[in-house]
Amino acid sequence: MKKKRWTGAALLTALLLISLASVGFWGYQQYQARTRLQTLLNNKYQRAFYELINNVENLQILLAKGLVSGSPDQNVILFTDIWYEANSAQSNLNQLPLGQPVISRTAKFLTQTGDYALALVKQQVTGRPVGDKDWLQLEELHARAVRLTQELHELENKAARGLLAWSEIQRNLPRKLPKGGPAPAPEEFRSIEEEVLKDLPTLIYDGPFADHIQRRQPQGLTGEKISREEARKTVREIALRFADVPNQNNWMVRLTGTVSGVIPAYSVEMFSPGAPDGQKIIMDISQTGGHVVWMVNTRSIAEASLSTEEALQRAKKFLAERGFKNMVPTYSSAEQNVATIAFAYKQNEVVIYPDLIKVQVALDNGQVIGFESLGYLMAHRPRELPQPRITEEEAARFLNPRLKIENSRLAVIPLETKKEVLCYEFKGRLNTDTFLIYINALTGEEEKILQLVNTPNGKLTL
């Protein structure tokens, strides 16, 4: 009996040892896998870091060459190379395990440097020389690039001595942004963000990332500011008047919060006891003037029974009843039994494309379930439109003769710089493809080309 008990104990001990060995082997395998993954990630981050250093070094050299070049043709080559290196640096920077708040100034510096260089390329190509202010801004960007290169080399030396591990930096980054400000940069990047790139100069130029464009203010907001005390009553009235619902008295409106940003707004929800479970209408109403910025009705959409043309007429009526006059449809699409129609403002027979409103119509019953007016609120205003300096026939001579023109009209379009230009819009075909081509009505320059692509859901512009 005693021998059997010892045999049983020995068997149990053996099983435990085997289990522990198995667990140990599995743990060792996991450790090896983690080590391999960590090495792989470190190599990836290290490669992106060294390529970033190379890009910034090239950027510094190119900016220096640009400062001494006296040839417009050479400037075009140099500024194009600056744009390329800045974009490559931005791409490599984004591959590093650093959150956007940590590298925001570095990212802004690279973005604006590339964007500014591209603006100077366009300036040179159109025959405008680089001005004194441009040279001063280039000198400032060069000085920052020199400092940034020095700091990156300091980090490179740390990495070479084993004092910088990307996996460690990633592990130590805060998971949440602290209240009241951006996330602090890791020690290794603090001198770059807080010293080298602190107080970046304000660049004044025509480019989408220029400071004055990033800080532009909405021009379509009218009316007085609605205080928090007035908001509960006022936004309720606005929401009930605006929403496309029957029996408005059956709907309740709740103020749910505020929205900051370029158009500060109050957020509201509408719900009705008689509505299906979970259905509600959500909208943002601007704090200045009480304009609806966007609206969404969350109800389910049944099978379509209306055509896109019928939806278009319903959308036009919806806008007219809410005070949006002289709006013309510019494109439409239909997907998942919902039609989306874009409208632009029309002033004196000129289509103003920046003043854009989108309306969504449910194709089961024609109810407007979506609305967005951000473009309209940012851009709409009475405009003093210039008189065209060339006729429509003269503008057509700038087109490719292979294009078969179907129709044309005057339109105001926004460029990448947000600058607006008066153009002749020509719709034409080449073989089976359809294009919209915009010729500047003052200079005859070709400003933009869009291709119209037919899809099962409608037309897309590319």
Side-chain angles (χ1 to χ4, degrees):
M1 182 68 70
K2 188 175 181 179
K3 185 177 181 180
K4 287 184 178 179
R5 281 203 300 269
W6 276 106
T7 303
L11 181 61
L12 181 60
T13 301
L15 289 172
L16 285 172
L17 288 172
I18 292 171
S19 299
L20 287 171
S22 300
V23 170
F25 180 69
W26 176 84
Y28 179 68
Q29 284 185 314
Q30 292 298 305
Y31 170 76
Q32 283 190 314
R34 274 199 309 273
T35 302
R36 285 195 298 269
L37 179 60
Q38 191 172 21
T39 302
L40 185 66
L41 287 174
N42 269 324
N43 290 340
K44 173 190 171 185
Y45 296 143
Q46 197 76 338
R47 183 171 60 252
F49 178 61
Y50 284 125
E51 289 179 2
L52 170 65
I53 294 174
N54 186 56
N55 295 140
V56 176
E57 282 182 336
N58 291 340
L59 194 62
Q60 172 197 330
I61 294 167
L62 290 166
L63 285 166
K65 289 180 179 180
L67 287 170
V68 298
S69 172
S71 164
D73 291 341
Q74 186 68 17
N75 281 342
V76 169
I77 296 172
L78 288 170
F79 294 149
T80 302
D81 288 344
I82 289 170
W83 170 81
Y84 173 79
E85 292 293 346
N87 277 274
S88 297
Q90 176 80 304
S91 176
N92 286 313
L93 179 68
N94 289 335
Q95 292 184 51
L96 298 179
L98 301 167
Q100 187 61 29
V102 172
I103 54 171
S104 59
R105 289 176 184 165
T106 309
K108 180 181 178 182
F109 169 75
L110 295 172
T111 300
Q112 286 197 331
T113 300
D115 189 45
Y116 183 52
L118 187 60
L120 291 178
V121 170
K122 294 177 181 177
Q123 184 174 316
Q124 294 276 276
V125 168
T126 55
R128 290 176 292 155
V130 178
D132 291 339
K133 289 184 178 179
D134 293 319
W135 292 122
L136 290 173
Q137 293 188 142
L138 283 169
E139 286 181 7
E140 176 67 25
L141 292 174
H142 175 255
R144 301 285 180 141
V146 170
R147 291 283 311 280
L148 180 57
T149 301
Q150 293 170 346
E151 292 293 333
L152 289 174
H153 278 306
E154 286 292 324
L155 294 180
E156 182 184 22
N157 291 334
K158 283 188 175 183
R161 300 196 307 268
L163 301 177
L164 186 150
W166 291 108
S167 56
E168 196 67 28
I169 289 176
Q170 183 183 36
R171 193 158 44 242
N172 292 334
L173 280 177
R175 294 290 179 262
K176 294 182 179 180
L177 292 181
K179 293 182 179 179
E187 185 64 36
E188 293 83 358
F189 286 83
R190 192 164 299 159
S191 60
I192 293 177
E193 288 287 304
E194 296 182 2
E195 296 176 20
V196 178
L197 300 178
K198 184 180 180 182
D199 300 324
L200 284 172
T202 298
L203 299 182
I204 304 299
Y205 66 100
D206 284 340
F209 301 104
D211 288 296
H212 69 291
I213 289 175
Q214 296 293 303
R215 294 197 299 263
R216 67 193 184 102
Q217 297 298 312
Q219 301 181 67
L221 290 182
T222 57
E224 299 295 322
K225 186 175 178 65
I226 302 171
S227 68
R228 183 79 186 194
E229 293 73 26
E230 299 169 318
R232 293 190 183 280
K233 178 183 177 183
T234 304
V235 299
R236 179 183 183 279
E237 294 171 352
I238 294 169
L240 288 172
R241 284 198 308 269
F242 193 87
D244 186 13
V245 293
N247 304 319
Q248 293 177 344
N249 293 333
N250 293 340
W251 286 80
M252 292 177 281
V253 180
R254 179 175 61 194
L255 180 64
T256 58
T258 58
V259 177
S260 58
V262 67
I263 300 181
Y266 292 110
S267 295
V268 300
E269 286 185 359
M270 293 177 57
F271 52 95
S272 172
D277 290 344
Q279 179 190 348
K280 57 186 176 182
I281 299 172
I282 308 166
M283 65 178 77
D284 279 356
I285 299 172
S286 68
Q287 295 179 13
T288 299
H291 303 271
V292 176
V293 181
W294 64 269
M295 175 197 74
V296 172
N297 186 330
T298 65
R299 78 169 178 87
S300 300
I301 312 298
E303 188 175 345
S305 61
L306 300 176
S307 66
T308 303
E309 178 59 32
E310 289 172 314
L312 170 60
Q313 297 305 318
R314 181 68 192 92
K316 289 171 68 173
K317 181 182 178 184
F318 175 87
L319 291 178
E321 289 175 347
R322 283 149 184 82
F324 294 100
K325 300 178 180 179
N326 302 322
M327 302 299 295
V328 294
T330 58
Y331 78 84
S332 63
S333 64
E335 191 171 1
Q336 295 181 340
N337 299 330
V338 174
T340 300
I341 303 129
F343 291 85
Y345 181 68
K346 193 173 186 180
Q347 177 180 325
N348 299 332
E349 300 306 310
V350 180
V351 178
I352 313 293
Y353 277 108
D355 298 7
L356 184 69
I357 292 176
K358 294 179 183 177
V359 180
Q360 289 189 314
V361 180
L363 293 177
D364 56 356
N365 65 1
Q367 182 184 27
V368 172
I369 59 167
F371 173 88
E372 191 261 302
S373 66
L374 183 60
Y376 184 90
L377 294 175
M378 289 298 297
H380 182 64
R381 65 195 183 279
R383 290 170 173 82
E384 293 185 10
L385 298 176
Q387 288 296 319
R389 294 177 187 166
I390 60 175
T391 65
E392 183 178 313
E393 292 73 20
E394 290 171 329
R397 293 174 195 157
F398 292 98
L399 298 171
N400 189 313
R402 300 174 63 212
L403 198 68
K404 184 178 179 181
I405 303 303
E406 295 182 346
N407 56 58
S408 61
R409 62 183 176 182
L410 278 171
V412 170
I413 65 169
L415 302 180
E416 285 184 348
T417 62
K418 309 303 178 186
K419 179 182 178 182
E420 297 179 356
V421 290
L422 178 66
C423 293
Y424 288 103
E425 177 189 73
F426 292 96
K427 183 179 181 181
R429 296 179 66 86
L430 179 62
N431 300 324
T432 59
D433 296 323
T434 304
F435 298 89
L436 294 175
I437 296 154
Y438 296 90
I439 303 295
N440 192 308
L442 304 181
T443 66
E445 291 183 45
E446 186 178 83
E447 297 286 1
K448 187 176 286 190
I449 299 175
L450 298 174
Q451 184 176 1
L452 293 176
V453 179
N454 289 313
T455 72
N457 300 320
K459 289 184 178 180
L460 295 177
T461 56
L462 303 174

